[in-house]
Amino acid sequence: MAKGKQQPGKRPGKRSVLWRKGLMLWMTARAAGILFSFMVPAMTVATLTMPASATAATAAAAETPAGSAGLAPTLPAGLAGPRSTDLKAAFEAMYRDPGNLDKTFRYAELAARSGDFEGAVSALERMLLFNPNLPRVRLELGVLYFRLGSFEAARSYFRDVLMVPAAPADVRERVKTYMDEIERRTSDHHFSGSLTVGSRYQTNANSGTSAGRVWVGNTALFPSDDYTQKADANLFAALSLTHTYDFKTEPVTLWESTLQLFGARQRDQFGLNTQALDVRSGPRFTLEQAVFSDLRLSPFLDVGHIRLGNEPYLSYFGGGLSLKTGVTETIGFEIEGLHRQMRYRNSPDHRDATDRDGGDTRLTAALLYEPTEATRLTVSLEGGRELARQEHLKNWEAGINAAFQMSYPPPLNLTTQSWISGVGAGISRTRYDEPNAALSRTITREDDEWRLNAMTVVPVRDDLALILMAQRSRVESTLSNFTNSDTLVSVSGSWRF
């Protein structure tokens, strides 16, 4: 009989387990490549989060502890499970000879590799009925219960292993790692984060015009050197810290708070030196209903501050609502609405910044499709309305983005973990309410932007990765002052903790 049972709603899907680590690295990589969506055009690799078929706590319960790649049990849940005929044959062999521990262990191994942790648990516990003095079996049971999220049962088996005087030192160390992880995950408070440091090069860091003429005072003139495109490189760092408080309720109710810090120092264009802070906090409710799986509702507050050119530039405050759900086993849906009040500060380089004061409202909807365990397609629609003190700065924005992502074995076995690569494309249109009379009294600004990007994440170990990214963007504007193009490449390293 099982020593513990699976917690209601806590069983992770195989796809959730497969993607979680890679997606955390991927989202960190995206944060390293951009500042925030209201500062520069967002990467069109659309928001990639864990599949909606499982909660974050669910996926965490299925993982091996961070940084413990070398502590994997001998009953792994492989990406490519055994053939059903092999599993069936192993079951029949065990059934015909229940006292043969080798046959029972073989079936448990295949069951675990296929993702059937309960079947593996039943087989291993049957072994203990024939011979209770099997510390290795108790170790494997502890790991399987850990994957199922039944931490008390896992802890009990791990304690049994530690009570065996002859248990090898490496086994004791492995057990200690899991025990420490169980203590962390069963706590009401959970902390996690990432630190990304890298360098970025842009052919048009200042978004300077590429047009032969610009409009000033209703006249088309040659642009001065200050307004043409300038190539530049920078060093950047991005820090993300997340705290989650678990109310220990069913359905799951959490309180999540995230702090993001970003800093970039330019080689030449010092006016683009950037420091940014963003704090988001709010509850997350998991709603039980019959139509969708794990419907998660998250209202939140959002505040932040940005310095540009080493001067205060923007402060904002607001809030929003996020909804995530699984439609089927392979399809997820996300929608988020956000409203912020933007308060700008004038400075020597931005003398009229306060003309942009006003409300900013954004709505994003994304459809996520996983045709296989190693591939993901994301399509998102986004729209927004920006208000300002000056009519010519008020605008509407709409766009569509698509991204394809896949994981695959490392080329030439360069690393021990799968690599993740993806490509994305997007187009957006921004239309302003009125002409800017200081530039042209007859032309209303309307911008069309196209973006193409690619990214590869190379895990060095469980908590460390190398990130390579490139993007090409082009803006066509009815007001030639804002027509420009840019190519961006970046290399960074990311540490997850």
Side-chain angles (χ1 to χ4, degrees):
M1 183 175 179
K3 199 163 188 173
K5 64 179 182 178
Q6 180 181 322
Q7 301 174 20
K10 295 291 183 183
R11 173 69 189 277
K14 288 174 63 181
R15 300 176 189 273
S16 300
V17 178
L18 169 66
W19 278 102
R20 185 175 186 267
K21 290 183 181 179
L23 293 178
M24 290 185 70
L25 289 172
W26 188 273
M27 289 185 287
T28 301
R30 290 183 66 243
I34 62 174
L35 177 51
F36 295 107
S37 60
F38 51 80
M39 285 291 292
V40 295
M43 288 289 293
T44 58
V45 178
T47 303
L48 297 174
T49 59
M50 185 180 62
S53 58
T55 65
T58 294
E63 278 194 280
T64 302
S68 59
L71 307 181
T74 56
L75 300 183
L79 299 185
R83 293 178 300 176
S84 58
T85 54
D86 294 340
L87 186 61
K88 182 179 179 181
F91 176 79
E92 291 175 349
M94 178 187 68
Y95 184 78
R96 288 192 299 267
D97 190 5
N100 190 313
L101 299 188
D102 289 337
K103 294 179 179 179
T104 301
F105 195 85
R106 173 59 177 166
Y107 169 74
E109 179 184 18
L110 294 178
R113 287 172 55 189
S114 70
D116 181 11
F117 297 146
E118 291 97 335
V121 164
S122 297
L124 294 178
E125 290 187 332
R126 192 179 303 113
M127 292 178 67
L128 293 180
L129 294 178
F130 289 95
N131 184 357
N133 298 316
L134 296 172
R136 179 189 174 193
V137 171
R138 294 185 182 276
L139 170 63
E140 303 299 352
L141 280 167
V143 173
L144 288 170
Y145 274 118
F146 178 91
R147 289 178 171 177
L148 287 169
S150 297
F151 296 130
E152 288 304 319
R155 183 187 282 117
S156 176
Y157 277 117
F158 288 143
R159 285 171 177 163
D160 290 345
V161 174
L162 294 177
M163 292 176 64
V164 178
D170 61 329
V171 171
R172 290 181 176 275
E173 186 63 26
R174 182 195 297 180
V175 168
K176 182 178 183 301
T177 299
Y178 278 103
M179 293 283 278
D180 290 345
E181 187 69 8
I182 289 173
E183 289 299 321
R184 186 184 70 84
R185 295 187 183 186
T186 54
S187 169
D188 293 343
H189 299 272
H190 302 273
F191 295 90
S192 62
S194 64
L195 174 64
T196 302
V197 179
S199 180
R200 181 174 64 197
Y201 174 81
Q202 290 178 261
T203 59
N204 189 4
N206 61 332
S207 299
T209 181
S210 58
R213 297 286 194 276
V214 296
W215 288 90
V216 178
N218 211 41
T219 303
L221 304 173
F222 289 105
S224 67
D225 184 65
D226 291 340
Y227 296 97
T228 58
Q229 64 182 42
K230 300 289 191 304
D232 202 2
N234 71 16
L235 297 175
F236 66 83
L239 175 67
S240 178
L241 301 174
T242 299
H243 169 257
T244 302
Y245 178 78
D246 190 344
F247 289 93
K248 304 294 185 183
T249 61
E250 287 291 344
V252 176
T253 301
L254 309 172
W255 190 284
E256 294 181 325
S257 301
T258 301
L259 167 68
Q260 292 185 338
L261 298 173
F262 180 91
R265 182 172 180 81
Q266 302 295 131
R267 182 186 61 189
D268 300 319
Q269 305 292 315
F270 299 124
L272 299 178
N273 289 347
T274 305
Q275 302 87 41
L277 174 150
D278 181 84
V279 179
R280 179 177 290 198
S281 183
R284 188 180 79 195
F285 306 100
T286 302
L287 306 179
E288 290 185 342
Q289 37 74 54
V291 180
F292 302 113
S293 62
D294 288 331
L295 180 63
R296 289 172 285 160
L297 192 66
S298 304
F300 58 86
L301 298 176
D302 189 30
V303 298
H305 179 74
I306 294 174
R307 292 173 60 87
L308 193 59
N310 303 316
E311 296 284 349
Y313 179 69
L314 169 65
S315 297
Y316 60 87
F317 61 92
L321 181 67
S322 172
L323 184 147
K324 302 179 182 180
T325 187
V327 180
T328 68
E329 179 68 18
T330 60
I331 297 176
F333 180 75
E334 304 176 5
I335 186 169
E336 179 178 290
L338 171 64
H339 177 79
R340 293 177 295 206
Q341 286 297 123
M342 319 295 271
R343 293 291 181 263
Y344 291 82
R345 292 278 298 275
N346 292 333
S347 66
D349 290 335
H350 304 277
R351 298 182 184 279
D352 301 318
T354 54
D355 288 349
R356 303 181 64 90
D357 285 354
D360 183 89
T361 303
R362 302 285 159 177
L363 181 65
T364 303
L367 185 67
L368 303 93
Y369 173 53
E370 292 180 4
T372 70
E373 292 180 350
T375 57
R376 165 177 285 209
L377 176 66
T378 306
V379 178
S380 66
L381 300 174
E382 56 189 23
R385 173 63 170 167
E386 182 180 0
L387 300 179
R389 292 182 178 182
Q390 299 294 328
E391 293 296 320
H392 69 268
L393 294 174
K394 296 178 181 179
N395 65 80
W396 292 91
E397 181 182 352
I400 181 171
N401 303 305
F404 177 76
Q405 177 187 352
M406 66 179 293
S407 65
Y408 52 93
L412 304 176
N413 295 319
L414 294 175
T415 63
T416 59
Q417 301 186 45
S418 294
W419 292 19
I420 302 173
S421 292
V423 294
I427 183 173
S428 61
R429 170 168 291 182
T430 305
R431 181 174 178 81
Y432 290 78
D433 288 9
E434 293 184 1
N436 182 349
L439 303 179
S440 172
R441 293 190 294 271
T442 59
I443 301 176
T444 299
R445 180 182 171 187
E446 186 172 303
D447 298 345
D448 288 326
E449 181 178 4
W450 293 266
R451 299 173 299 274
L452 295 172
N453 51 61
M455 182 186 295
T456 293
V457 179
V458 181
V460 179
R461 61 188 194 194
D462 270 9
D463 59 348
L464 190 64
L466 175 69
I467 302 164
L468 309 173
M469 183 169 58
Q471 176 174 281
R472 175 66 178 175
S473 62
R474 173 74 179 173
V475 177
E476 294 286 349
S477 179
T478 55
L479 205 56
S480 57
N481 306 44
F482 302 98
T483 294
N484 66 81
S485 61
D486 181 46
T487 299
L488 175 155
V489 293
S490 74
V491 178
S492 59
S494 179
W495 172 49
R496 180 170 61 89
F497 52 90

